[in-house]
Amino acid sequence: MKNELTVGFIGNPNCGKTTLFNAYTGAKLKVANWPGVTVEKKEGVFCYHQHNYKLVDLPGIYSLTSYTLEEKLSRRYILEGDVDVIINVVDASCLERNLFLTLQLIELGKPVVLALNMMDIVEERGMEIDLHRLPEMLGIPVVPVCARKKKGIDVLMHTVSHHQDKPIGALEHQHAKGDHCHDHHSEYPIVYSDKIEDLIDAVTERICAANKNIINHRWYALKVLEHDSEIMEELNIDFSDIVPHSLEKEIINQKYDFIEEIIAEVLMNKEKKQQMTDKIDLFLTHPIWGMPIFFGIMALIFFLTFSVGDLLAEWFSFLIDGVSSAISTGLDLISVAPWLKSLIVDGIIAGVGGILTFLPNIFILFLCLSFLEDSGYMSRVAYVMDSLMGRIGLSGRAFIPMLLGFGCTVPALMAARTLENKSDKLRTILVTPFMSCSARLPVYVLFSQMFFPKNAMLVAYSMYIIGPVVAIIAALIMWLFTGKEKKPALLIELPEYKTPNGRSIAIYVWEKVKDYLTKAGTTIFIASVILWFLLNFNFTGLCDMNESFAASIGKLLSPVMKPVGLSQWQIVVALISGIAAKEVVVSSCGVLFGIPNINSAAGIASFGAILTGMGFTGLNAFCLMLFCLLYSPCAAAIATLGREANSQKWAVFSVVYQTGIAWLVSFLVFQIGSLF
Amino acid sequence: MTLFEAQPGKKYLVKKLDMEEKIERRLEALGLTENSMIELLSCKRGGAMIVKIRGTRFALGKEICQAIYLWGDNNEK
C-alpha cells in the first residue's frame, strides 16, 4: 500500500465537489450555487486511519472530451497526474445527466468511487434511489453523502482506501439491446453495439501492435473512434482505414441509452413533487419583468450597502476614534520622539484607521452578493442579460464575471475563464474592471457625504450605473474594431434554487472581511507609511509638506489633471497611490490632509472645509469619483489581468486605456458642468 | 419545426441537431440526444430559452434554439 493516496474529485459543475473538499480538508474555499465557481485545481491533505490522502479539487466538467479548457485540464490531470482513485461526485437529484461523466470516468480505467451527493434533496423531493442496484449496474462502489452536513464522508474515504486497486467490481447486468459475441458484459459496465465493439477491438489491436506504453486500451480506442484530436496526435497512428469518420455521436447516444436503462431501474418516484424552482423562475426569468427585477435586486443591494452600512459605520467610527485618541495619549505619556508620533498618528492611524471605518459597508455588500451567488440566481442573470449582451457581441454568460466585479475585480477576472471563445474572454476581461468594485466604495461614501449631504446615496448610485454603461460601450467599440465577430451562443445550466447555506455564506463573507483587514494591515499600512515619508522628506531631509517629494510629484502632474478638475497636488498624489489599492485613495487623503478619522462626522467636516478652501466644489468631487471609478485597475487586478489574458501586453493596455477613458469622461463632465 | 418555434410549457422529442459540431457534441453530452425529451419552460423576446433536458434546466441562446429540430407536438401524439 502506498503511503500517500492521491484522490481526485471530479464531477459536473455545481454538484458539490468543493463543499466535499472543504468538509475533508477544513479548507475554506469559496462555494456557491452556480456552475463554474471553481476554476483552479486545489490540493489539500487529509489523514484517515493513519493514512495520508492528498485530495485534489478539480473544476467541474460535463464530459471528458477535449472541447473546453477545463475539460482538457481535468482530463490531462487524471491521465498524466498520479491520481490513484477518482471520487466522482454526483448530484443525486440530477442523476441522469451526471451519470454520463461517470461512464466516461469508468472507461478511463482508474478506480472510481461514486459519491452520491445531495441525498437530502432527493429525499425532500420524495424520490428514492436503489443503492443496491446502482453499483451492480456500474461495477463501482456507490456511497451516499451529504457534503453540506458532512454526512457519509468517513464511509466514502473508507471505500476509497479499500477500492484503490480494483477498477471494476462485480457486474450483474445484461444490456437490453445488442447481443455482442464477446464476453464483455462481465468486464465493462457499458457495452456498445456490435459495430462499435468490433471497431474497438480492431483499434485496440493496432494500438497494441504499435507497442505504445498504454494501459487503458479501451479508453484510447474509444477516443480514436471519436476522432479526439489530442489522443489522435498522441498516438500518431493512422486509423483512417478502420474509422474513416467520427463515431462520437453514436457513442454518446449509446451511453445515454444505457443511462436510461439505469434510471429506469434505480430511480423511483421521479419528479413526483411540484418543484419550487419552477415557481420562482416564473418571476425571476419572466420575459418582460426579468430584467427590471434584476435591476431592482441590484438597487436593493446597494441601498442596503449604503444605508445599513453607514449606520453601522457610525458606531464603528466611535470605536476607532476611541482607540486612536488612546494611542495618541499613550504616545504622549511615554514621550516618544515627535517624528515617530507623527508617523504613527498622521501616517498609520490616519491611513489604516480611516479605512477600517468602511468595513461595515463592505461587509453588507459581500453579504448581499453571497446571497445572490448561493441562491442559484447567478445563472439566471446570464439568461436575463443575454439579449442585452448580444447587442455588444457577447453571450449572457459574460455578464457573470462583470457582476462579480461589483465585489472584487480579481476573482471576477478569474471567473471569465469559463468563457470558451478567446476573443470574448479577452473583451470581458478588459471591461470587467469598469464595474465598481468594493474597494472604490469608500471613495464614494466619503465624497458623496461630504459634498452632496442630501443626495449622497443618489450620487453614489450613479457610479454603479456609469460603470456598467462605460463597460458596455467599451465592449461595443472593441467588438466593432474586431470586425463584429459572431456572438457566441448562450449555454448555461440553471441550478435549482436553494435556501442560501449559512456556512457557505459565513465562509464567503469572512474571507472577504479577512481580505479587507489584511489589506488594511499590509497594502494600506505600507502605502500610508511610504506616503508619510514622501510627504515629510525631500533631498534635504525633514521638510515642509509643500516642498516634499510627494508635493513635487503631484505638482508635476497637476497641469494634466487641471482640465478634469483635479488640479490639487494632494489629490493627484492620492490618485497615484490608489493604484496600489483603490481604498488607498481615501487612506492617502487622511494622511495628506492630516485627518485622523476621515469617515467620522468630524473628519468629514474638517476635510470638507479644507477642500472647499482649496476651491474644490461638488463638481470636482463628482469628477474625482468618476476618475476613481474608471482609471487604472489596482495592482492586484493588473497582475491578474495579465495572467488571465496570457500576456502582459494587455495588462499595460488596460492601465493606459482605462486611465485615458477616465480622463476623457471626467474631462467632459467637468467642462460641461463648469458651463452652468 | 425548431425549438425556436415551440410553445412554452410543452414537451417535445428531438429530431436532430444541426449546428457547429463542437456545440452539437456538447449538447449531446448534456443529454440532448436524438429522440430524447426536451421541455420548453420559458422564452423571451431576445430569443434565449429555458429548457429542461433529462431533469436539468438549461438556458440556451437563440442561435442554438434555431438549430434544434423537433418532431411535432408531443402532447398531440
Side-chain angles (χ1 to χ4, degrees), chain B residues 6-71:
Chain B
Q7 282 175 25
K10 288 195 174 172
K11 292 176 181 170
Y12 299 86
L13 289 178
V14 177
K15 190 172 170 187
K16 67 169 176 127
L17 308 180
D18 183 18
M19 57 192 95
E20 197 188 323
E21 193 183 326
K22 195 175 146 181
I23 304 175
E24 196 172 308
R25 296 291 163 270
R26 289 203 68 196
L27 283 172
E28 282 168 353
L30 294 171
L32 195 72
T33 51
E34 277 168 23
N35 290 319
S36 65
M37 177 106 73
I38 184 165
E39 184 182 354
L40 179 58
L41 296 175
S42 78
C43 56
K44 51 182 217 158
R45 257 179 323 137
M49 294 178 153
I50 298 182
V51 296
K52 201 184 237 180
I53 304 167
R54 296 184 195 259
T56 312
R57 289 174 196 78
F58 286 95
L60 303 178
K62 182 180 171 184
E63 305 76 8
I64 292 182
C65 300
Q66 284 171 330
I68 298 174
Y69 292 85
L70 308 167
W71 295 105

Side-chain angles (χ1 to χ4, degrees), chain A residues 80 84 163 232 262 340 391 399 475 477 494 521 536 569 663:
Chain A
E80 291 168 10
D84 299 304
H163 192 66
M232 295 291 253
I262 299 176
L340 186 60
R391 303 235 172 111
F399 197 76
I477 292 171
L494 305 180
N536 288 284
W569 69 263
W663 192 89

Side-chain angles (χ1 to χ4, degrees), chain A residues 410-430:
Chain A
V410 171
L413 291 172
M414 287 168 70
R417 264 185 219 179
T418 51
L419 301 174
E420 280 144 49
N421 185 313
K422 261 194 186 154
S423 97
D424 304 334
K425 190 181 143 188
L426 184 62
R427 271 192 298 147
T428 310
I429 285 177
L430 286 176

Side-chain angles (χ1 to χ4, degrees), chain A residues 136-287:
Chain A
E136 280 179 358
M137 294 183 87
L138 290 174
I140 56 168
V142 174
V143 182
V145 296
C146 180
R148 284 220 272 191
K149 293 170 190 156
K150 295 192 182 185
K151 266 196 221 161
I153 64 170
D154 277 348
V155 179
L156 180 60
M157 214 31 87
H158 192 80
T159 314
V160 166
S161 74
H162 280 275
H163 192 66
Q164 53 181 304
D165 308 312
K166 297 174 278 186
I168 296 291
L171 279 163
E172 273 177 55
H173 173 64
Q174 288 292 322
H175 283 48
K177 291 171 195 167
D179 51 353
H180 196 63
C181 50
H182 303 201
D183 189 25
H184 281 330
H185 290 282
S186 57
E187 290 175 63
Y188 311 112
I190 171 158
V191 179
Y192 297 92
S193 68
D194 295 356
K195 173 188 154 200
I196 288 181
E197 286 294 341
D198 286 340
L199 287 173
I200 292 175
D201 292 344
V203 171
T204 308
E205 211 170 287
R206 192 165 293 178
I207 297 175
C208 290
N211 224 351
K212 298 259 177 191
N213 187 20
I214 287 169
I215 319 154
N216 45 347
H217 292 104
R218 189 177 169 84
W219 190 75
Y220 272 87
L222 276 164
K223 287 291 144 187
V224 169
L225 260 56
E226 290 175 1
H227 280 214
D228 187 280
S229 53
E230 255 188 19
I231 298 297
M232 295 291 253
E233 216 169 275
E234 189 193 324
L235 289 173
N236 196 19
I237 307 174
D238 182 29
F239 293 104
S240 54
D241 52 326
I242 314 178
V243 257
H245 61 272
S246 166
L247 292 164
E248 192 175 1
K249 196 185 178 78
E250 280 91 330
I251 293 173
I252 294 175
N253 279 332
Q254 291 184 24
K255 277 207 178 81
Y256 268 107
D257 286 342
F258 179 48
I259 291 171
E260 279 171 18
E261 280 177 43
I262 299 176
I263 293 296
E265 288 204 40
V266 304
L267 193 65
M268 327 285 174
N269 304 334
K270 205 178 158 191
E271 307 224 8
K272 214 166 101 190
K273 273 193 192 165
Q274 234 269 327
Q275 287 174 10
M276 201 59 204
T277 298
D278 291 321
K279 289 185 193 160
I280 302 174
D281 263 344
L282 231 46
F283 296 98
L284 294 185
T285 61
H286 190 273

